[in-house]
Amino acid sequence: MKTLKLFILLLFLSISSFSQNSSRIFKNVNQTSNRVEVYVNDGTYYIEFYSDKIVETSFIPKGETYTKKSHAVILKAKNIKISPVISQDKSVFSTDGISVHINHNPFQIEYRFNGEVVTSEKQGYYKSKHTPLEIVKGNIKYDFTEKIEFNLTKDEVLFGGGSRALGMNRRGNRLALYNRAQYGYETKAPLMNFTLPLVISSKKYILHFDNAPIGYLDLDSKKDNSLIYETISGRKTYQVIVGNSWGNLIENYTQLTGKQPLPARWVLGNFSSRFGYHSQQETEKTIAKFKEEAIPVDAVILDLYWFGKTIQGTMGNLEVDKDSFPDMKGMISRLKNKGVKTVLITEPFVLSNSSKWQEAAKKGVLATDSVQKPAKYDFYFGNTGIVNIYKKEGKDWFWNIYKDLLNIGVKGLWGDLGEPEVLPYWVNFGAKKADEIHNIYGHDWAKLIFEGYQKEFPNERPFILMRAGAAGSQRFGMIPWSGDVNRTWGGLQSQPEIALQMGMQGFGYMHSDLGGFAGANLDDNLYTRWLQYGVFQPIFRPHAQEEVASEPIYRTVETMQLAKESIELRYKLLPYNYNLAFQNNQQGTPLMRPVFFEEDTPELITNSSTYLWGKDFLITPILKDSVITKQVFFPRTANWIDFYTNEKIEGGQFKLVNVKENSIPTYVREGAFILMSDVVQSTDYYNSDKLQLHYYFNETKQATKRTFYNDDGETADAFEKGAYEILEFDANFSKQYLEIEFDAVSGENWNPKKKEIQLIIHNINFNPKKIKVNGKRKRISTVDKTLIIPVTWSTNKELKIKISLN
């Protein structure tokens, strides 16, 4: 009897702790096509299935109206089969994957995938007067906030929340949702430029709260197994996204919010960048020095000195300072002839003493105060107003500035301070207050530029460098970076975590100012290690305050040589890296991938010290000074080959490896194909018909296949237009033969050409008896466990290489 009473008590406690708002009473349920409408005493739930792996839930309290418009979601709901099972106590709506279970009494909504519980609402939606919201000093205190609360299981690890330095597991934190720069951060930065209302669970589901205004994301800070989204206003809408694997989960999320357009090939090259180049002469001299030292470079970025001689007092001019840059158009043209593209900084702030203030005020393009005058306030750069990009006049005015710059040959646009860096709560953007649009200003700014490109420059791929954005910003071609990181080892240590986290949240091109930005710390070893890490992160862009040179050409001879090696390797990897960019464009797959993508175990779920660069590189950056050995984890899914020495490491172990001055621990998956190219001074000289194909022989694996995407590297939507080729390489191994086949698929608007390819086979411990290329014999011997076979390949035909082992 005591046992029965205890069981009933535990059952009651379980139901009460996992049930929803106790005052919410189920009334009725109705299904119409993809939507389920659940009526309760205080409102209505709309539950909409986008696919069998994505479902959206909105709560509309009584007296409010439903708003469908989303800044993040672009996916249209499909007509999928939904099987309802409705009883007196419960309503269940199931697809082939995700299902929604609605308990009537006590009321609760629960989500399952393939029959297993994914997550459930705890209190669901409710209003709270207990925790006034004051995210930044001087911000308004709100009388109440709106919350949506979920249950967590005890063992869940949580990722997401945007760009922050907190450690991989973000559970236990209450995260402010208010984009804000963190100058000079190192290993701890709980609030930064991208604050996304997005949670990723180790149980392979994503919760995206589809709302823009400021608020908080509480990831179980009170340790009561609760996840709470808190905001000042707006939609009470969230999506639950599930997946069969980590890759599939992120693919589903980016299907919902948009895929990143494929950037131009030059974006994967080296940038010359600093804060900043003061003159035309200094800019051209710097690029000439790169060429003199034979260090590849593809772009130069001009910070704010292009429109003014001083840091303060010139922002908003957004016109070329003719004294410092007397022939900007000519300079851009001359740089272009050297294969170097010009990128210019812009900001959304117009200072009241700038040359454009009167024009902006007269045309009504600025956000306003309470009496409809241009809102003015002070910040570091001066007394300012901000462009109202939510007003047609403001949007058109801003885009026309960009159009003029692009028409003189500018190839990239930098949007800085777009959090916005300073935006008082009282500033009005038409009917919207500052706190309602603060977190999506950078998002909508990028959208403005992207749509301008589509209309005015439809054949160009935009380069839009942005410091702030929101969920879904990736679909506008946004290239984000991790803000003003300190130029210290602590600053470097947080970078892999930030890039890996943001890659999982759809931002595959999150990167850092290589070498670090803030401070005058001159540390050659730090600079070297940061650039070596940069080879295997999405964008290679050294950048810093000018007290210490960011460009390798202005460092010591020894440091410059080490940097040159890193940059040259970056260019050799262009074919491999461009294929990663294509995979990201097609499936949303991050370029940098956590090691638990490869081996999904609890021990690795918080590991960011080693990561995958694409599928086949295993990278361990050196994040501390004077490191001579480093412990590396090798996933059990493969054996791994040292990229530099060809040493073979068995998978499934931690191993202490020696660290060299001129490289970081870099390993390749046994059985992989790695496509590489010659070093070029810029990608303008890239030759996709002269390549090296590295195959890492695996005697235990009978078949390997890899594909590599290629196009002209610049035409917008080349894949969709059929102007591409996909190269396919297959390896099959038996006891007697190793056979490697080359094949290609070309789009209807691609002209296939012959390719000169060096096939380089690593990790072999035999001297081949016979080698045949398309039936013709070649006499080649193994040297240092490596075999090099030169071939000429007409890609409209299959090519076969057969190697007799005995």
Side-chain angles (χ1 to χ4, degrees):
M1 190 66 178
K2 288 182 179 179
T3 303
L4 179 60
K5 288 181 179 179
L6 179 61
F7 172 77
I8 293 171
L9 176 61
L10 290 173
L11 180 63
F12 172 78
L13 289 173
S14 175
I15 292 172
S16 63
S17 64
F18 279 80
S19 64
Q20 215 157 292
N21 191 328
S22 59
S23 62
R24 188 155 293 142
I25 301 170
F26 174 82
K27 296 290 187 181
N28 195 13
V29 63
N30 181 48
Q31 180 186 348
T32 58
S33 185
N34 282 8
R35 176 186 285 184
V36 175
E37 297 177 359
V38 183
Y39 302 96
V40 293
N41 62 309
D42 58 345
T44 305
Y45 283 91
Y46 290 161
I47 301 172
E48 190 165 9
F49 291 86
Y50 283 84
S51 72
D52 62 355
K53 294 185 177 69
I54 304 171
V55 64
E56 175 181 281
T57 298
S58 299
F59 181 69
I60 304 92
K62 278 190 174 179
E64 296 189 19
T65 56
Y66 174 57
T67 302
K68 178 65 176 173
K69 187 178 180 181
S70 167
H71 71 275
V73 171
I74 60 169
L75 183 65
K76 303 299 181 185
K78 296 179 181 178
N79 289 321
I80 59 173
K81 183 180 178 182
I82 302 171
S83 301
V85 177
I86 300 174
S87 67
Q88 184 175 351
D89 300 325
K90 194 170 188 177
S91 300
V92 179
F93 299 89
S94 302
T95 69
D96 287 340
I98 201 165
S99 60
V100 180
H101 297 242
I102 303 163
N103 293 312
H104 298 173
N105 187 23
F107 182 77
Q108 186 189 31
I109 299 177
E110 180 184 83
Y111 301 89
R112 299 186 184 187
F113 180 48
N114 294 333
E116 298 293 327
V117 175
V118 173
T119 188
S120 60
E121 290 193 358
K122 193 169 191 176
Q123 292 196 61
Y125 168 79
Y126 63 99
K127 288 187 177 182
S128 171
K129 294 184 179 181
H130 305 298
T131 53
L133 195 94
E134 189 177 17
I135 290 177
V136 291
K137 187 177 181 181
N139 207 48
I140 190 170
K141 288 187 177 181
Y142 293 88
D143 293 334
F144 65 85
T145 58
E146 299 180 307
K147 297 180 179 181
I148 306 176
E149 185 171 356
F150 284 81
N151 289 300
L152 293 170
T153 57
K154 291 181 179 180
D155 58 344
E156 281 183 78
V157 173
L158 301 179
F159 312 99
S163 176
R164 308 171 193 262
L166 288 171
M168 286 295 281
N169 186 3
R170 294 179 171 179
R171 186 166 181 166
N173 291 285
R174 184 170 184 253
L175 305 176
L177 297 172
Y178 188 92
N179 292 352
R180 188 175 70 185
Q182 176 68 47
Y183 179 82
Y185 72 90
E186 294 185 322
T187 57
K188 185 79 170 178
L191 182 59
M192 288 173 62
N193 313 70
F194 287 82
T195 62
L196 308 182
L198 179 74
V199 183
I200 306 172
S201 167
S202 56
K203 291 169 63 177
K204 294 191 185 69
Y205 71 84
I206 292 174
L207 267 174
H208 170 236
F209 297 95
D210 194 357
N211 192 39
I214 66 174
Y216 286 95
L217 194 59
D218 192 314
L219 306 182
D220 197 28
S221 68
K222 296 179 181 178
K223 302 191 184 308
D224 60 353
N225 298 321
S226 296
L227 187 160
I228 304 171
Y229 170 67
E230 180 178 4
T231 186
I232 60 170
S233 64
R235 304 177 78 213
K236 279 63 91 168
T237 297
Y238 62 86
Q239 292 91 28
V240 179
I241 304 104
V242 296
N244 296 314
S245 65
W246 285 109
N248 180 240
L249 177 65
I250 295 168
E251 181 178 12
N252 294 334
Y253 170 71
T254 53
Q255 184 183 16
L256 179 73
T257 59
K259 299 288 196 297
Q260 176 96 22
L262 182 64
R265 186 179 279 112
W266 67 264
V267 174
L268 300 175
N270 177 36
F271 288 73
S272 178
S273 182
R274 70 159 75 159
F275 180 32
Y277 299 112
H278 291 258
S279 67
Q280 178 178 317
Q281 181 184 16
E282 185 180 27
T283 305
E284 295 196 77
K285 179 183 175 183
T286 298
I287 296 302
K289 183 72 171 172
F290 271 98
K291 189 169 184 180
E292 178 186 329
E293 299 292 347
I295 297 177
V297 62
D298 256 276
V300 62
I301 297 183
L302 300 186
D303 214 310
L304 48 75
Y305 296 117
W306 74 267
F307 54 71
K309 292 180 177 62
T310 59
I311 295 174
Q312 294 173 309
T314 61
M315 188 174 290
N317 289 347
L318 295 178
E319 290 180 347
V320 177
D321 179 15
K322 294 293 181 65
D323 287 340
S324 300
F325 293 86
D327 183 21
M328 175 70 90
K329 186 175 181 179
M331 182 194 78
I332 291 172
S333 179
R334 289 188 294 275
L335 292 174
K336 180 183 176 183
N337 291 337
K338 295 178 179 179
V340 178
K341 298 81 186 167
T342 302
V343 180
L344 299 185
I345 195 174
T346 61
E347 302 90 357
F349 298 101
V350 182
L351 299 191
S352 59
N353 65 339
S354 70
S355 62
K356 279 198 167 17
W357 175 263
Q358 293 301 327
E359 175 190 328
K362 183 178 180 180
K363 292 187 175 181
V365 305
L366 300 168
T368 60
D369 59 20
S370 60
V371 293
Q372 300 305 304
K373 290 184 178 180
K376 292 197 292 184
Y377 51 90
D378 294 329
F379 78 139
Y380 172 78
F381 295 95
N383 183 255
T384 192
I386 188 168
V387 179
N388 184 357
I389 59 175
Y390 300 95
K391 186 178 181 182
K392 185 179 186 303
E393 292 84 352
K395 186 176 179 180
D396 292 346
W397 181 84
F398 216 176
W399 170 248
N400 285 330
I401 290 172
Y402 287 125
K403 184 167 69 172
D404 290 345
L405 295 174
L406 294 169
N407 279 330
I408 65 170
V410 170
K411 287 296 178 185
L413 299 170
W414 175 7
D416 199 16
L417 313 183
E419 293 76 26
E421 178 153 313
V422 178
L423 185 61
Y425 72 89
W426 50 264
V427 176
N428 298 315
F429 294 80
K432 294 285 187 181
K433 289 284 189 181
D435 284 353
E436 294 177 294
I437 62 88
H438 180 92
N439 287 338
I440 57 166
Y441 189 94
H443 172 92
D444 290 323
W445 184 13
K447 179 182 179 183
L448 180 160
I449 299 172
F450 181 71
E451 291 180 345
Y453 263 96
Q454 287 184 315
K455 182 180 178 181
E456 307 274 358
F457 306 92
N459 292 321
E460 285 198 35
R461 303 182 194 178
F463 175 77
I464 306 171
L465 185 67
M466 283 277 177
R467 199 175 75 172
S473 293
Q474 70 277 353
R475 68 177 180 268
F476 304 129
M478 179 186 285
I479 305 292
W481 88 98
S482 60
D484 296 339
V485 59
N486 217 15
R487 201 181 311 188
T488 58
W489 290 99
L492 173 57
Q493 285 160 24
S494 60
Q495 296 313 303
E497 172 206 339
I498 292 171
L500 291 168
Q501 287 269 358
M502 287 295 280
M504 293 173 68
Q505 297 172 72
F507 289 84
Y509 290 88
M510 172 55 77
H511 67 288
S512 62
D513 291 341
L514 299 183
F517 177 78
N521 178 26
L522 177 59
D523 185 330
D524 285 335
N525 190 32
L526 171 66
Y527 179 82
T528 296
R529 293 305 191 193
W530 211 317
L531 266 61
Q532 288 168 352
Y533 158 67
V535 174
F536 302 99
Q537 57 126 49
I539 302 294
F540 195 96
R541 188 181 58 83
H543 181 70
Q545 292 175 331
E546 59 191 332
E547 291 92 337
V548 176
S550 60
E551 309 92 339
I553 53 172
Y554 296 127
R555 306 297 287 245
T556 64
V557 172
E558 295 79 11
T559 304
M560 180 178 68
Q561 185 56 43
L562 289 169
K564 182 178 181 180
E565 288 184 37
S566 293
I567 294 167
E568 287 180 341
L569 177 56
R570 178 76 177 188
Y571 276 77
K572 289 177 184 177
L573 288 170
L574 276 170
Y576 180 88
N577 292 350
Y578 196 62
N579 189 62
L580 296 189
F582 178 68
Q583 290 174 351
N584 175 262
N585 167 248
Q586 293 293 300
Q587 286 103 32
T589 315
L591 286 75
M592 288 175 64
R593 305 166 193 178
V595 73
F596 58 79
F597 273 39
E598 183 74 13
E599 186 173 326
D600 194 4
T601 62
E603 296 78 20
L604 298 175
I605 201 71
T606 59
N607 187 314
S608 64
S609 61
T610 295
Y611 63 89
L612 293 158
W613 176 243
K615 179 178 177 64
D616 291 323
F617 276 101
L618 187 71
I619 305 300
T620 304
I622 300 304
L623 307 177
K624 294 183 178 180
D625 199 6
S626 305
V627 173
I628 58 174
T629 59
K630 178 69 176 175
Q631 188 166 344
V632 176
F633 174 74
F634 295 90
R636 69 179 68 254
T637 48
N639 293 324
W640 302 87
I641 311 300
D642 190 304
F643 181 69
Y644 299 101
T645 68
N646 281 328
E647 178 190 1
K648 181 177 176 178
I649 307 290
E650 187 176 342
Q653 63 172 316
F654 283 92
K655 184 177 175 64
L656 199 65
V657 303
N658 293 323
V659 175
K660 299 177 181 178
E661 180 187 34
N662 65 341
S663 65
I664 58 176
T666 303
Y667 294 85
V668 181
R669 181 191 305 273
E670 190 178 45
F673 285 99
I674 304 294
L675 194 62
M676 298 175 66
S677 62
D678 292 338
V679 175
V680 288
Q681 185 61 31
S682 96
T683 55
D684 279 12
Y685 310 107
Y686 173 78
N687 185 356
S688 64
D689 298 322
K690 187 180 179 183
L691 301 166
Q692 297 90 47
L693 179 64
H694 296 258
Y695 172 62
Y696 290 81
F697 176 64
N698 180 1
E699 62 184 2
T700 65
K701 191 172 184 180
Q702 295 189 358
T704 298
K705 176 181 177 180
R706 293 290 186 273
T707 58
F708 294 90
Y709 175 83
N710 181 48
D711 58 27
D712 68 4
E714 59 184 14
T715 301
D717 302 319
F719 179 68
E720 290 75 11
K721 294 172 181 174
Y724 69 91
E725 63 180 354
I726 295 177
L727 309 180
E728 180 181 306
F729 305 105
D730 291 87
N732 291 280
F733 173 62
S734 68
K735 291 182 179 180
Q736 293 182 318
Y737 301 103
L738 170 63
E739 293 182 301
I740 296 177
E741 297 181 359
F742 294 17
D743 203 356
V745 176
S746 298
E748 59 184 6
N749 294 314
W750 182 263
N751 181 26
K753 296 180 181 178
K754 285 186 177 180
K755 295 187 185 294
E756 300 295 327
I757 296 183
Q758 274 197 331
L759 173 62
I760 303 167
I761 304 175
H762 300 259
N763 190 37
I764 59 176
N765 53 10
F766 55 84
N767 199 34
K769 182 179 179 182
K770 185 165 48 178
I771 299 172
K772 288 185 177 181
V773 178
N774 275 348
K776 295 182 179 180
R777 188 164 181 174
K778 283 185 175 283
R779 296 187 179 276
I780 301 169
S781 298
T782 305
V783 178
D784 295 330
K785 298 179 69 175
T786 302
L787 183 64
I788 301 175
I789 305 172
V791 298
T792 300
W793 177 31
S794 296
T795 55
N796 55 359
K797 298 178 182 178
E798 188 180 75
L799 184 144
K800 292 186 178 182
I801 299 169
K802 189 171 185 179
I803 302 169
S804 300
L805 306 185
N806 50 50

